[in-house]
Amino acid sequence: MTDTLPRRGTETPATTPRAAAPAASASTVDVGALPVVRLKHWFRWTLAAIIVFALAQFVWSLVTDENYEWDVFAHYFFAPPVLQGVGLTLLLTGLSAAIGFLLGTLIALPPPSKSPLLSSAAWLYVWFFRSVPLVVQLVVWYNLGYLYPTLGLGTPFTTDFWLVEFPTVQLISAFAAGVLGLSLHQAAYSAEIIRGGLLSVDQGQLEAAASLGIPPRRRLTRIVLPQAMRSIVSNATNEVIGLVKGTSVLFVIAIPELFYAVQVIYTSPRPAAEARRTGGFTSRGRRRR
């Protein structure tokens, strides 16, 4: 015979009393029924209100302040000197960026090599052109004729230029001095950007390519540079943007780029009708004679 009576401690869940269920449900809390209290960021709201107020105050001053002279700004915004200055600025930026990055690539390649002479020369170039201010470089290139009246090719360590000879003032004009100064200055920064991109490539990539017998030049152009471009492009874009703004320094050698053209317009006297309207004063506050 089998025993059909349940024994103590062996009750199944189906045989447990159902009276315990209401007690268990009463102890649980319905989270969805609780009210949601959002955190109040008083400091963040106060700071945002101050920023909005400052911006509104600035915009109001732009509209109401007559010293901005928006009519004069609109008159000269598309003036021919300004448009020519924009074109010259973009031309200088394009030439300087192309020459700078090309020269920077050549400078960035020797340091990873085993030639101490090339590595030292590259390091010295980068150190010098990053240390000397751009304005000083432009002034030196523009006035190079005072140091070297003539340039040419001939007998070494002499001034006997029997092969070819050029007057320095005619060879290095203001435009050439600007391109030289910007390009050589940009090449020093571009070399560091490219060198950092080359070093970011895993060394195992070079070892694997060398084990496959790939020539060094093909390793650089097909394996290293495509992977290094991920870190080079973003930094190079920032450098080009900075170069566009850096062309404003060229006003020291009287190149009519955008900043120089605007400066000339600003310092020039206004027309007679404008002078009569403002009481006989020019744009710089000096009374017309």
Side-chain angles (χ1 to χ4, degrees):
M1 294 179 62
T2 57
D3 190 3
T4 58
L5 295 177
R7 297 182 180 182
R8 182 176 299 178
T10 60
E11 294 87 350
T12 59
T15 61
T16 55
R18 296 183 178 273
S25 61
S27 62
T28 59
V29 179
D30 188 5
V31 181
L34 294 177
V36 178
V37 180
R38 298 185 180 275
L39 182 62
K40 295 180 175 58
H41 302 277
W42 297 107
F43 177 77
R44 186 187 305 174
W45 294 350
T46 304
L47 186 60
I50 294 174
I51 294 175
V52 170
F53 174 77
L55 290 177
Q57 182 71 25
F58 177 69
V59 173
W60 176 83
S61 67
L62 290 178
V63 176
T64 59
D65 194 350
E66 296 181 354
N67 293 325
Y68 281 104
E69 299 181 351
W70 292 111
D71 55 342
V72 179
F73 172 80
H75 175 73
Y76 288 107
F77 188 74
F78 292 105
V82 174
L83 297 180
Q84 294 174 4
V86 172
L88 187 57
T89 298
L90 296 179
L91 177 61
L92 289 168
T93 302
L95 289 176
S96 302
I99 298 174
F101 278 98
L102 179 60
L103 185 58
T105 303
L106 299 177
I107 297 172
L109 295 181
S113 66
K114 298 180 180 181
S115 175
L117 180 61
L118 294 178
S119 300
S120 300
W123 179 87
L124 183 63
Y125 178 91
V126 173
W127 171 81
F128 178 80
F129 281 96
R130 293 183 66 179
S131 301
V132 179
L134 179 58
V135 176
V136 178
Q137 299 179 35
L138 292 173
V139 172
V140 170
W141 283 113
Y142 185 67
N143 297 283
L144 192 64
Y146 292 102
L147 300 176
Y148 304 99
T150 57
L151 296 175
L153 298 175
T155 305
F157 305 106
T158 64
T159 57
D160 184 13
F161 302 132
W162 55 270
L163 186 59
V164 61
E165 183 177 1
F166 298 99
T168 306
V169 177
Q170 298 179 4
L171 182 63
I172 303 179
S173 60
F175 183 83
V179 173
L180 278 173
L182 291 175
S183 301
L184 297 178
H185 183 75
Q186 182 62 40
Y189 289 90
S190 302
E192 290 298 297
I193 293 175
I194 296 172
R195 187 176 68 87
L198 295 177
L199 293 178
S200 66
V201 180
D202 189 13
Q203 187 67 22
Q205 300 285 329
L206 297 176
E207 296 175 356
S211 65
L212 293 175
I214 301 177
R217 182 176 299 178
R218 184 170 296 179
R219 287 183 230 159
L220 178 65
T221 57
R222 299 293 182 88
I223 298 175
V224 178
L225 279 180
Q227 298 183 66
M229 292 301 291
R230 293 181 298 178
S231 59
I232 292 176
V233 170
S234 57
N235 296 322
T237 304
N238 294 333
E239 284 296 318
V240 173
I241 295 173
L243 187 60
V244 175
K245 296 182 287 186
T247 55
S248 61
V249 185
L250 297 177
F251 81 95
V252 297
I253 56 177
I255 293 182
E257 43 81 39
L258 179 59
F259 182 74
Y260 183 84
V262 174
Q263 284 287 96
V264 171
I265 293 175
Y266 172 72
T267 55
S268 61
R270 298 179 181 176
E274 183 71 15
R276 288 194 300 269
R277 185 178 66 83
T278 57
F281 287 89
T282 61
S283 58
R284 294 184 63 88
R286 295 191 299 267
R287 194 172 186 86
R288 294 175 59 89
R289 295 182 179 179

